[in-house]
Amino acid sequence: MRILYLEDEPRDAELVQASLEAEDIVCDLTRADTQASFVAFLQQGGFDLILADYTLPLFDGISALKIAQEVRPDVPFIFVSGTLVEEMAIEALKMGATDYVFKTRLSRIGPSVRRALREAEERCQRKRAEEALQRNEAYLAEAQRLSRTGSFGWQVSSGEIFWSAETFRIFDFEPTSPPTLERILQRTHPEDRTRIQKIVEAASRERKDFDFEHRLLMADGSVKWVRVVGHPSALGESDDLELMGAVTDITERKKAEEKFRGLLEAAPDAMIVTNRQGQIVLVNAQVEKLFGYQREQLLGQNIEILVPERFRARHPEYRAAFFTQPRMRPMGEGLDLYGRRKDGTGFPVEISLSPLETEEGTLVSAAVRDITTRKRAEQTLRQQANLLSLTRDAIFVREMNGIIRYWNRGAEALYGWTAEEAIGEVAHELLKTVFPARFDEIEEELVLAGRWEGELGHTTKSGTQLTVASRWSLQRDDKSAPIAILVTNNDISERKRAEEERERLRRLEADLAHVNRVSMLGELSASLAHELRQPLAAAINNANACLRWLARDEPDVQEARTAARRIVHDANRAAEVISRLRSLYKQGAPAERELVDVNEVLREIPALLGSEANRYSIFMRTDLALKLPKVRVDRVQLQQVLMNLMLNGIEAMKDAPGELTIKSELNQDGQLLITVSDTGVGLPAEKADEIFNAFFTTKPQGSGMGLTISRSIVESHGGRLWASSNSSRGATFHFTLPSAGEEVPVRDTGT
């Protein structure tokens, strides 16, 4: 078959050809993409069918239809378009188009082409019949042969029967042997013979039109189906009766019907086929199971037998409306539909309608699905949601495709849309949802676990952006198939903002603490220089000694090796000082807390501050308890607290040499208690409670942040920092830390 296709997109033409080949329609498709090429191909001729897009950049389908009607009026013309609306399609059909097919529904292209070709062939046959009538009976005989339809006449009174050549071929009788009623009945299938004999007798007796189908059993044992149509006619002026009619070989149609019945039986839903009058012509086994009728009880009955009585009155009206514009669509979209079983009980159903074009006219196929379980689940979800509507949470139910089916008062209050506005919308499109991961990954987790929880971004009707804690619960039917999702959302926008503010303050506090450490180290620069100068000077002296030992006439390798070991020892001492400084200078993300031996830290800081204390003739002493448990702390922050407190003590004793005591012990509550005591000037009179306030200082160059930051660090570790005046002289700072329970022995008890 040759097809001329007016289409500017080669890919669309390839899809159409592939769809036709999938329908076993082998074709040679020629594509034209301009008016000039379309007209040129038309003039060449030889095409069986014309397909055309409705809209092209420099041409249009309606103009092409008019040209085709002028040049090739006998070639069927089908629109294949993605932009054709229903009204335009109807107008195109009125102008002479054979059919229209949407590019999004190419599954219809095969039936449409077959119908167009069949209708074109039928038009051709009628035309040939008319020409045959005008010329001679030979043309009529040829037309009958092509259509597999023979004619007959039967004079009842005489019993004489007249057949056309095609009728002889259908019955496989020789034209030389005249047909008789007895021979016809002999050729009839034994199972149909009695029925046919009764029909013939009734037709001759009652003088009524007849139309029936039956089987022929051929001489070779094959079965052939025929349709016999006739009506009575008087012979001239006499009262003698003659029955005239036609017999058609419908074997191929019956085979196609059997194939269709097979497809119908394989369908998982209840399938019902009715004609324009609403009579049931086909049902499958699922209909028997669903409605409780036997197949024979339904065939020929009106479809309203399966409709509850309260809906029957208006159902014919809906049925007639469908046949005015037959197209594939769900029935009663947005309405609750119900079916009626043989026992009179009703049940909720979902129905999809599809038109079927047949030789007998348009039929409608209805796929009926029982949704009782789904409705029950939806009702359960509504009941659950109604109970939860007493809370402030936003709750809604959505189907697996995202369509909202329930929307509670909490959702109305949170998002601004009423239930009437939200129901029927796609949830993630309405709320402009921002997901924390890919949506298909979230749904996969939901199906596997039955639940999902996470934070989502939503936008309200007024445009306000929210962060919600969302909890999804998957609902399944009695076959464990997912059917709906119960969504519970709680607005956590204020909490998220508070968390962000706390994080901002934490970073600010960390920055201040770092500045405080750098400031302290600046104050200690002279002492730190001395701490570094000692090991470095010793390393240099040992290096010179090593060179001298090696420069002798007879190098003393043993002495040189000893000097080199002292160099390594001095370099390690300098590295330890630098490492301590680096840890205090370092700024970045807070370190993870670790189990720390407090006594070890209490030894490190005095070693670091030794030179500073010596400058002012201050004696430092440690009194460390044995077998103290470890604490889980940030080591650098603990060093910072101790350095703050010890520097304050040294500062308080600059003008009068004294003693700085660092002590560790376990208090009565099982917490570690660390004290730093000095013999200095003591706490400021009448302002002892203010020393921990931000920016309060008694030092000329002090920032007033050291004790504030120290208290913040201790409290963040679950401890407490306070100060008290000594009975004789000076002040003592105390702070506690929760213990981690693991004891560590102390190497020294004091210095």
Side-chain angles (χ1 to χ4, degrees):
M1 178 178 64
R2 294 193 65 202
I3 297 176
L4 175 59
Y5 190 6
L6 178 61
E7 172 59 65
D8 60 325
E9 290 291 339
R11 178 60 180 159
D12 287 355
E14 293 172 1
L15 288 173
V16 168
Q17 186 165 13
S19 298
L20 289 172
E21 291 176 353
E23 292 284 341
D24 296 328
I25 300 175
V26 181
C27 61
D28 178 13
L29 191 145
T30 301
R31 186 174 67 88
D33 56 1
T34 63
Q35 179 177 354
S37 61
F38 178 74
V39 173
F41 285 127
L42 275 182
Q43 291 173 344
Q44 291 176 12
F47 295 100
D48 305 296
L49 177 68
I50 298 173
L51 304 177
D53 196 353
Y54 189 79
T55 304
L56 289 87
L58 301 176
F59 196 32
D60 65 272
I62 293 297
S63 299
L65 174 61
K66 293 177 180 178
I67 295 172
Q69 288 176 330
E70 292 177 3
V71 180
R72 300 291 175 189
D74 55 338
V75 178
F77 191 105
I78 298 176
F79 280 107
V80 181
S81 178
T83 59
L84 191 61
V85 297
E86 200 74 21
E87 293 78 7
M88 294 179 180
I90 294 172
E91 188 63 28
L93 294 177
K94 290 179 180 179
M95 293 178 64
T98 308
D99 201 354
Y100 66 94
V101 176
F102 292 110
K103 289 182 178 179
T104 56
R105 299 178 182 175
L106 286 179
S107 60
R108 287 193 60 242
I109 190 71
S112 179
V113 167
R114 287 194 177 93
R115 185 168 68 86
L117 295 175
R118 183 172 65 250
E119 290 176 354
E121 181 66 19
E122 289 172 355
R123 287 194 299 271
C124 222
Q125 291 173 1
R126 286 195 298 270
K127 183 177 180 181
R128 282 195 291 267
E130 291 171 358
E131 292 174 352
L133 287 173
Q134 296 173 0
R135 294 183 180 89
N136 52 53
E137 292 182 354
Y139 289 102
L140 176 59
E142 181 64 16
Q144 288 188 352
R145 187 185 69 81
L146 292 173
S147 64
R148 297 184 180 181
T149 300
S151 58
F152 66 87
W154 177 30
Q155 294 179 1
V156 177
S157 58
S158 66
E160 191 173 6
I161 297 175
F162 303 94
W163 276 3
S164 68
E166 182 62 20
T167 306
F168 278 101
R169 278 193 290 271
I170 290 173
F171 279 81
D172 197 20
F173 286 166
E174 290 295 332
T176 55
S177 178
T180 64
L181 185 58
E182 183 181 0
R183 293 185 67 193
I184 293 172
L185 290 174
Q186 287 178 348
R187 181 64 83 197
T188 301
H189 195 284
E191 295 178 3
D192 297 342
R193 196 171 292 157
T194 301
R195 178 175 64 87
I196 299 306
Q197 190 167 7
K198 290 179 180 179
I199 292 174
V200 171
E201 291 173 354
S204 62
R205 182 177 63 252
E206 299 173 5
R207 299 193 175 196
K208 291 182 178 180
D209 292 350
F210 52 89
D211 184 347
F212 59 90
E213 297 176 359
H214 71 97
R215 291 168 292 174
L216 302 178
L217 184 59
M218 310 308 291
D220 61 1
S222 62
V223 176
K224 184 180 291 186
W225 276 91
V226 293
R227 180 188 179 192
V228 182
V229 180
H231 67 92
S233 176
L235 287 172
E237 298 178 357
S238 68
D239 197 31
D240 291 341
L241 175 66
E242 181 177 22
L243 298 177
M244 296 185 298
V247 57
T248 304
D249 183 353
I250 59 170
T251 304
E252 292 302 318
R253 194 197 79 190
K254 284 293 184 179
K255 289 180 179 178
E257 287 180 359
E258 286 300 319
K259 183 177 180 180
F260 178 71
R261 284 192 181 92
L263 294 174
L264 216 62
E265 291 299 328
D269 295 327
M271 302 296 297
I272 305 170
V273 179
T274 66
N275 59 20
R276 187 179 291 270
Q277 291 72 40
Q279 292 177 322
I280 300 173
V281 297
L282 276 176
V283 297
N284 67 352
Q286 296 297 331
V287 173
E288 296 178 305
K289 295 178 182 178
L290 185 59
F291 290 93
Y293 287 95
Q294 295 298 312
R295 196 178 308 240
E296 295 74 17
Q297 295 175 308
L298 291 175
L299 296 179
Q301 294 292 327
N302 198 285
I303 187 64
E304 277 73 30
I305 193 176
L306 303 178
V307 177
E309 293 183 4
R310 64 185 185 277
F311 300 123
R312 285 183 185 175
R314 299 200 62 183
H315 194 265
E317 176 186 338
Y318 299 141
R319 175 161 42 81
F322 175 80
F323 277 100
T324 59
Q325 290 184 340
R327 58 184 176 85
M328 187 167 63
R329 62 178 176 84
M331 178 178 175
E333 193 167 7
L335 301 176
D336 289 331
L337 304 179
Y338 293 88
R340 181 183 183 275
R341 297 188 180 90
K342 184 180 179 181
D343 61 9
T345 58
F347 59 99
V349 295
E350 186 177 74
I351 303 176
S352 297
L353 303 177
S354 300
L356 300 174
E357 299 297 333
T358 70
E359 294 177 354
E360 286 76 24
T362 302
L363 304 178
V364 59
S365 169
V368 184
R369 179 174 297 175
D370 183 358
I371 58 171
T372 302
T373 303
R374 184 202 303 173
K375 287 291 185 181
R376 190 180 299 123
E378 289 177 357
Q379 181 62 28
T380 301
L381 287 173
R382 287 191 183 93
Q383 291 172 352
Q384 294 174 351
N386 285 332
L387 291 174
L388 293 173
S389 66
L390 299 175
T391 71
R392 297 178 60 186
D393 292 342
I395 300 169
F396 61 88
V397 177
R398 70 169 181 85
E399 296 177 350
M400 299 307 295
N401 58 6
I403 300 296
I404 298 171
R405 291 305 178 201
Y406 176 80
W407 187 263
N408 80 335
R409 289 191 296 273
E412 291 180 334
L414 180 60
Y415 296 114
W417 286 283
T418 64
E420 291 75 13
E421 292 172 323
I423 291 174
E425 298 292 329
V426 178
H428 64 267
E429 293 178 357
L430 179 70
L431 301 174
K432 299 178 181 176
T433 305
V434 178
F435 295 99
R438 283 173 43 190
F439 182 65
D440 57 344
E441 294 176 353
I442 293 175
E443 283 217 325
E444 182 180 356
E445 179 182 340
L446 174 68
V447 171
L448 289 174
R451 301 179 62 82
W452 179 83
E453 294 185 9
E455 293 183 3
L456 303 176
H458 281 164
T459 302
T460 67
K461 185 178 181 180
S462 64
T464 303
Q465 294 184 343
L466 305 176
T467 300
V468 298
S470 189
R471 300 182 299 279
W472 296 5
S473 176
L474 184 66
Q475 307 298 309
R476 300 178 183 270
D477 60 18
D478 54 1
K479 298 179 181 178
S480 296
I483 57 173
I485 300 169
L486 175 67
V487 180
T488 304
N489 291 337
N490 181 259
D491 184 7
I492 59 171
S493 303
E494 290 299 325
R495 191 184 81 190
K496 292 294 288 186
R497 283 192 284 271
E499 289 175 356
E500 291 170 359
E501 180 63 17
R502 283 197 297 272
E503 177 62 19
R504 187 185 70 81
L505 292 175
R506 189 201 60 74
R507 291 198 201 97
L508 180 60
E509 186 179 82
D511 291 342
L512 286 172
H514 178 257
V515 170
N516 176 250
R517 290 198 298 272
V518 174
S519 176
M520 286 190 302
L521 293 174
E523 296 176 17
L524 294 172
S525 57
S527 296
L528 296 175
H530 177 73
E531 285 289 323
L532 286 172
R533 190 181 300 114
Q534 278 188 332
L536 292 177
I540 293 171
N541 289 334
N542 285 315
N544 289 329
C546 180
L547 291 174
R548 286 194 299 272
W549 289 118
L550 294 175
R552 287 187 172 189
D553 294 336
E554 292 184 10
D556 192 333
V557 176
Q558 185 61 38
E559 291 292 343
R561 184 180 293 111
T562 301
R565 289 195 188 99
R566 289 196 294 269
I567 293 172
V568 172
H569 174 73
D570 294 333
N572 285 334
R573 284 176 55 202
E576 288 176 4
V577 174
I578 294 171
S579 178
R580 295 191 194 105
L581 293 176
R582 183 177 178 276
S583 67
L584 290 169
Y585 266 114
K586 186 177 179 181
Q587 183 179 20
E592 290 189 7
R593 296 184 180 182
E594 58 182 321
L595 288 176
V596 172
D597 177 3
V598 173
N599 286 343
E600 182 180 330
V601 179
L602 292 177
R603 295 187 193 93
E604 290 175 351
I605 302 303
L608 194 62
L609 300 180
S611 296
E612 183 72 6
N614 291 335
R615 286 177 58 193
Y616 301 105
S617 302
I618 296 171
F619 176 69
M620 287 197 298
R621 184 173 68 86
T622 59
D623 182 7
L624 308 181
L626 293 169
K627 297 184 178 180
L628 287 178
K630 288 185 177 181
V631 292
R632 187 172 295 278
V633 295
D634 181 330
R635 187 184 190 93
V636 172
Q637 289 185 341
L638 179 58
Q639 289 173 335
Q640 182 175 353
V641 171
L642 289 170
M643 184 173 286
N644 259 318
L645 299 180
M646 293 171 69
L647 279 175
N648 284 345
I650 293 172
E651 180 73 22
M653 296 184 289
K654 279 185 178 180
D655 297 330
E659 183 177 286
L660 184 68
T661 303
I662 301 96
K663 183 179 180 180
S664 67
E665 60 182 316
L666 203 63
N667 69 8
Q668 294 178 350
D669 297 328
Q671 292 184 316
L672 267 73
L673 174 64
I674 295 94
T675 57
V676 178
S677 180
D678 64 68
T679 58
V681 296
L683 299 177
E686 300 179 357
K687 293 185 179 180
D689 294 336
E690 299 181 23
I691 60 174
F692 291 103
N693 293 343
F695 307 113
F696 179 87
T697 181
T698 59
K699 304 176 186 178
Q701 304 299 325
S703 66
M705 294 301 296
L707 289 176
T708 301
I709 293 171
S710 296
R711 172 174 274 184
S712 175
I713 291 173
V714 171
E715 290 179 350
S716 72
H717 284 77
R720 189 167 70 91
L721 171 63
W722 71 98
S724 61
S725 296
N726 295 335
S727 57
S728 56
R729 185 181 180 188
T732 300
F733 286 82
H734 319 259
F735 69 91
T736 61
L737 292 173
S739 69
E742 184 177 344
E743 293 185 349
V744 177
V746 178
R747 292 191 298 270
D748 298 311
T749 58
T751 60

